[in-house]
């Protein structure tokens, strides 16, 4: 079968790290073959375009398994009463919505066979869409992960309540084809009946999970909302901090030394605390406490240079697939970042954070063909990074939204 070479020329290229000026991007299938500067100053100047090209965005923390229908209903009940086969289709719909908004790589942090099946269908090219990485959760009975299901409901996600059970569950995820593991080192906001301050698992259980995951080549993402939870995550050498609202000054040195990524999930915690979305009184109360603590902690952490990367907790209901653009604008504001620093947190640095260096996150030969044509230069002005300014999105070499400029 002949392989078609596609090109896009005359646009300004921001390659994930810096402005490359007017250039021509070529790709063939899911592979960027070249990024060549305009041949002459004349060529660069003759066709000044209002459009630019940036790498597809990467969200390191999402949850795709919720209803993608117009009336999602009760988000907690829906996964319990909907068969896996049907949920996989909703997962793909959410993933495609993200891609249409410019998010071409998603890491799902509460995976099951539902997301793994959808990810394989996307990998096989059955349906054009983004790349989906899937982490399986290893948590305790009555832990944050366990309490998304009402207490007496009999059909529950697996839990692990001893170091041996933790090892076994990690191995089962590895057998299922999961890309990584999610753990919890504190309680959560939306989980039913727990407290944010609850310890989740013993040090021995966490140690066994991280050791086994690393032995099997999997990254470990740690959900935490408390300072003690960050202590545990750092002690046992996880690979990323999720939420991290409890980060204190005592954590900065280790975070910087290890260049450990933190997904700040700003938008969802704000939305819960402000009750912009329908949540229980208990969840709103927990959300307010978490956000108050977070705002103080994050200003100091960002100034110290802590490595925040795009991670939204989008589930299609509280944070929609496409709200990643708003999250990046919020991150720039909250952390006092330049537009370029914010955009790196959603492209090249997000790729590096989840071990996708050399594959996505940059417009470079040999990388996957994921990119977004935008109106304006969002690395100079992050406020231009809006849905209205997205002209076209190419994911895995295929146009998934809009139309490429002629
Ligand atoms: Zn999450």
């Amino acid at each position: 079968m002949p392989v078609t070479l596609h090109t896009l020329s005359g646009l300004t290229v921001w390659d994930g790290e810096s402005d490359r000026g007017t250039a021509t991007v070529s790709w063939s299938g899911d592979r960027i073959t070249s990024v060549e500067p305009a041949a002459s100053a004349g060529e660069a100047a003759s066709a000044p375009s209002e459009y630019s090209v940036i790498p597809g965005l990467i969200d390191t923390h999402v949850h795709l398994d919720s209803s993608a229908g117009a009336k999602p209903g009760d988000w907690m009940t829906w996964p319990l009463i909907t068969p896996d086969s049907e949920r996989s289709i909703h997962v793909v719909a959410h993933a495609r919505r993200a891609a249409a908004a410019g998010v071409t790589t998603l890491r799902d942090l509460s995976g099951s066979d539902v997301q793994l099946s959808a990810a394989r269908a996307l990998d096989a090219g059955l349906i054009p869409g983004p790349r989906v990485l899937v982490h399986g959760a290893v948590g305790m009975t009555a832990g944050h992960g366990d309490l998304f299901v009402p207490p007496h409901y009999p059909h529950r996600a697996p839990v692990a309540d001893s170091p041996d059970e933790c090892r076994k569950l990690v191995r089962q995820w590895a057998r299922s084809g999961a890309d990584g593991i999610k753990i919890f080192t504190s309680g959560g906001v939306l989980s039913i009946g727990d407290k944010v301050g609850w310890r989740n698992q013993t040090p021995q259980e966490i140690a066994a999970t991280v050791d086994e995951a690393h032995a099997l080549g999997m990254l470990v993402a740690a959900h935490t909302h408390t300072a003690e939870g960050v202590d545990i995550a750092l002690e046992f050498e996880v690979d990323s901090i999720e939420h991290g609202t409890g980060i204190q000054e005592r954590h900065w040195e280790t975070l910087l030394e290890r260049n450990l990524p933190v997904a700040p999930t700003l938008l969802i915690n704000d939305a819960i605390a402000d009750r912009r979305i329908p949540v229980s009184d208990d969840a709103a109360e927990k959300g307010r406490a978490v956000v108050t603590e977070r705002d103080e902690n994050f200003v100091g952490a960002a100034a110290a240079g802590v490595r925040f990367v795009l991670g939204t907790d989008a589930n299609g209901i509280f944070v929609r697939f496409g709200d990643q653009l708003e999250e990046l604008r919020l991150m720039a504001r909250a952390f006092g970042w330049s537009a370029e620093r914010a955009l790196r947190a959603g492209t090249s640095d997000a790729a590096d954070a989840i071990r996708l260096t050399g594959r996505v996150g940059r417009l470079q030969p040999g990388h996957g063909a994921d990119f977004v044509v935008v109106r304006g230069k969002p690395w100079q002005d992050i406020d231009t990074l809006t849905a209205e300014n997205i002209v076209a999105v190419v994911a895995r070499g295929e146009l998934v939204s809009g139309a490429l400029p002629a």
Side-chain angles (χ1 to χ4, degrees):
M1 204 169 68
V3 183
T4 318
L5 186 69
H6 304 271
T7 58
L8 195 57
S9 30
L11 310 186
T12 310
V13 170
W14 184 80
D15 67 1
E17 283 169 356
S18 54
D19 187 330
R20 299 276 304 271
T22 308
T24 297
V25 178
S26 305
W27 73 100
S28 173
D30 182 17
R31 192 181 164 81
I32 295 173
T33 54
S34 68
V35 181
E36 294 292 337
S40 64
E43 187 191 320
S46 68
S49 172
E50 57 169 331
Y51 299 142
S52 312
V53 192
I54 63 172
L57 301 176
I58 298 167
D59 190 338
T60 65
H61 185 147
V62 303
H63 301 281
L64 289 157
D65 186 7
S66 70
S67 171
K71 290 195 185 110
D74 177 358
W75 66 276
M76 238 177 207
T77 316
W78 186 84
L80 308 179
I81 60 172
T82 308
D84 289 4
S85 45
E86 189 174 337
R87 284 156 58 197
S88 283
I89 297 169
H90 287 253
V91 164
V92 170
H94 276 318
R96 283 176 53 84
R97 221 166 268 169
V103 189
T104 52
T105 301
L106 301 161
R107 181 168 77 153
D108 193 301
L109 288 187
S110 53
S112 69
D113 279 332
V114 169
Q115 289 95 327
L116 286 162
S117 304
R120 281 193 292 270
L122 289 162
D123 285 343
L126 303 180
I127 312 150
R131 296 164 214 278
V132 174
L133 303 183
V134 180
H135 280 223
V138 177
M140 67 177 196
T141 298
H144 173 59
D146 187 35
L147 293 174
F148 280 93
V149 175
H152 303 291
Y153 189 75
H155 307 292
R156 318 183 69 83
V159 287
D161 289 303
S162 70
D164 286 350
E165 285 187 17
C166 288
R167 278 191 199 280
K168 182 161 189 183
L169 189 47
V170 171
R171 291 169 184 171
Q172 285 169 339
W173 283 125
R175 185 176 62 191
S176 299
D179 300 283
I181 295 297
K182 165 87 166 287
I183 64 169
F184 312 94
T185 63
S186 80
V189 174
L190 290 171
S191 33
I192 314 163
D194 65 338
K195 297 283 177 244
V196 170
W198 281 11
R199 184 188 74 185
N200 273 230
Q201 295 195 307
T202 63
Q204 292 76 16
E205 287 168 329
I206 302 275
T209 300
V210 176
D211 176 66
E212 195 65 26
H214 285 169
L216 302 182
M218 296 194 284
L219 293 178
V220 178
H223 154 109
T224 180
H225 278 302
T226 63
E228 295 70 30
V230 180
D231 291 335
I232 295 167
L234 295 180
E235 184 183 348
F236 295 102
E237 303 195 12
V238 304
D239 303 295
S240 67
I241 305 280
E242 309 300 322
H243 314 298
T245 50
I247 288 174
Q248 307 287 317
E249 199 172 336
R250 68 173 186 264
H251 302 126
W252 296 354
E253 197 185 331
T254 310
L255 287 168
L256 292 172
E257 233 171 54
R258 295 187 198 158
N259 200 23
L260 203 65
V262 179
T265 67
L266 299 176
L267 191 55
I268 191 165
N269 289 331
D270 286 346
I272 294 168
D274 300 346
R275 303 200 84 151
R276 271 180 269 156
I277 49 180
V279 293
S280 67
D281 292 346
D282 183 45
E285 182 58 40
K286 289 198 268 183
R288 272 192 297 277
V290 157
V291 162
T292 305
E293 207 198 336
R294 174 202 75 186
D295 286 346
E296 255 177 58
N297 293 341
F298 276 10
V299 169
V306 166
R307 182 189 186 184
F308 290 103
V309 298
L310 180 63
T312 61
D313 219 358
N315 74 348
I317 296 172
F318 298 154
V319 171
R320 293 159 304 169
F321 290 99
D323 286 344
Q324 283 81 5
L325 309 175
E326 185 181 352
E327 179 85 10
L328 280 177
R329 298 195 303 269
L330 276 178
M331 286 169 75
R333 209 158 304 137
F335 304 146
W337 280 353
S338 69
E340 190 158 61
R341 176 72 190 82
L343 209 50
R344 276 197 282 124
T347 54
S348 53
D349 204 33
D352 296 345
I354 58 173
R355 217 187 263 165
L356 293 179
T357 308
R359 293 170 61 191
V360 292
R362 291 175 176 83
L363 294 181
Q364 279 176 13
H367 283 58
D370 291 348
F371 54 85
V372 189
V373 178
V374 293
R375 197 173 287 110
K377 294 183 174 172
W379 62 96
Q380 292 176 2
D381 178 4
I382 198 73
D383 288 330
T384 64
L385 190 69
T386 62
E388 299 71 49
N389 284 334
I390 290 188
V391 176
V393 182
V394 170
R396 302 183 191 229
E398 291 201 48
L399 185 70
V400 293
S401 164
L404 291 169

